[in-house]
Amino acid sequence: MCVICTDPIESLVDATELNCNGCPLVSAIPASLVRLHTLWCCDCPALVSIPDTLVRLTFLNCSGCPLLASIPATFTRLTRLDCHHCPRLTAIPPTLTILTRLECSSCPRLAAIPSTLTNLVRMNCSDCRLLTRIPYALTRLSRVSHFGCPWLPENAVAYPTHFPSLLRLQRWFRHGRKQVFKRVLRTRAFNEFVFHPDRIGGKLVKRQMEAELGVMRPAKQQRVE
Ligand SMILES: [Zn+2]
């Protein structure tokens, strides 16, 4: 239980800071709390979304929320964002241009850090297994933690191949090759070649026919004599 669950909304409307950490009941932050500049809502197992009306937020910690799927793009005043351990989070909004600190470790669906976050100084993106690069535009970035990010250059000793091209290659093998293979198998030229009496297909067919028509064998033996 937290203030959102226990207090009437009217008493919260003027709040500039709110903490509902660890509340098992809260599923949404009231959209009317537009004066908030600091919001703590970590480890809320039922929290699905944060309303995009909280545009004055400068600090947001929403880490450990298993159902939270997005951070509103309207939070352009954020300077610090903690959103680690959010398994449904797929993106950091590119509009958070004055963000200086980003904690987004263990977000398994996070595939990119926007190149527009040019004010970032500190970032922890450890265990973001889909991250393929840290944009060159983040020139102020001086402290980065990225343990367990297999595709980031410093960690990519065993994987010289760039991740997207590897994915393309895998897709081509999975779909493309099978299609090409099927098309070749269906052609008359291929079948005539393989099932020619002197080649493997033809020999297999002959052996099969012999097995089925066992009665033919005596005739073959007679010819040998
Ligand atoms: Zn609560």
Side-chain angles (χ1 to χ4, degrees):
M1 297 281 271
C2 61
V3 285
I4 298 174
C5 304
T6 56
D7 294 17
I9 275 291
E10 301 78 50
S11 70
L12 297 173
V13 166
D14 289 330
T16 55
E17 294 190 14
L18 187 84
N19 184 330
C20 62
N21 283 357
C23 177
L25 302 176
V26 68
S27 61
I29 308 294
S32 55
L33 307 185
V34 292
R35 290 170 195 265
L36 286 181
H37 59 70
T38 299
L39 174 61
W40 297 79
C41 55
C42 324
D43 304 313
C44 293
L47 186 69
V48 176
S49 68
I50 301 170
D52 58 9
T53 50
L54 313 185
V55 294
R56 293 192 193 180
L57 282 181
T58 56
F59 174 95
L60 171 62
N61 189 332
C62 58
S63 49
C65 292
L67 299 182
L68 189 68
S70 67
I71 308 288
T74 52
F75 292 179
T76 53
R77 295 192 197 179
L78 277 185
T79 55
R80 180 166 171 181
L81 173 62
D82 281 25
C83 58
H84 55 88
H85 292 87
C86 287
R88 289 192 66 194
L89 195 67
T90 53
I92 304 293
T95 49
L96 312 186
T97 51
I98 63 166
L99 204 64
T100 56
R101 192 162 168 189
L102 175 63
E103 286 277 337
C104 61
S105 57
S106 298
C107 290
R109 292 197 193 180
L110 194 65
I113 303 293
S115 57
T116 48
L117 311 186
T118 50
N119 284 298
L120 266 190
V121 177
R122 290 181 68 171
M123 177 167 77
N124 183 348
C125 61
S126 300
D127 274 318
C128 289
R129 305 193 68 82
L130 289 184
L131 274 189
T132 56
R133 66 187 199 94
I134 294 171
Y136 294 118
L138 311 187
T139 50
R140 295 193 187 176
L141 206 54
S142 57
R143 293 185 63 181
V144 187
S145 297
H146 54 74
F147 303 105
C149 300
W151 305 109
L152 290 184
E154 291 88 333
N155 295 327
V157 182
Y159 308 101
T161 319
H162 195 52
F163 193 42
S165 50
L166 186 74
L167 278 180
R168 265 200 299 279
L169 197 68
Q170 284 178 341
R171 227 174 293 142
W172 184 80
F173 265 101
R174 216 175 296 141
H175 305 293
R177 204 183 66 161
K178 208 189 283 173
Q179 286 303 318
V180 170
F181 202 55
K182 271 184 194 163
R183 236 177 291 150
V184 168
L185 281 181
R186 285 198 201 107
T187 57
R188 186 178 160 179
F190 177 82
N191 282 288
E192 278 180 352
F193 173 82
V194 169
F195 292 100
H196 184 276
D198 294 333
R199 294 206 178 86
I200 184 159
K203 284 178 185 167
L204 274 172
V205 171
K206 273 196 277 185
R207 217 173 299 158
Q208 228 169 17
M209 282 168 68
E210 278 174 6
E212 281 170 21
L213 310 171
V215 288
M216 294 290 282
R217 280 204 178 135
K220 202 176 169 184
Q221 279 168 358
Q222 272 173 10
R223 197 178 58 196
V224 171
E225 285 167 10

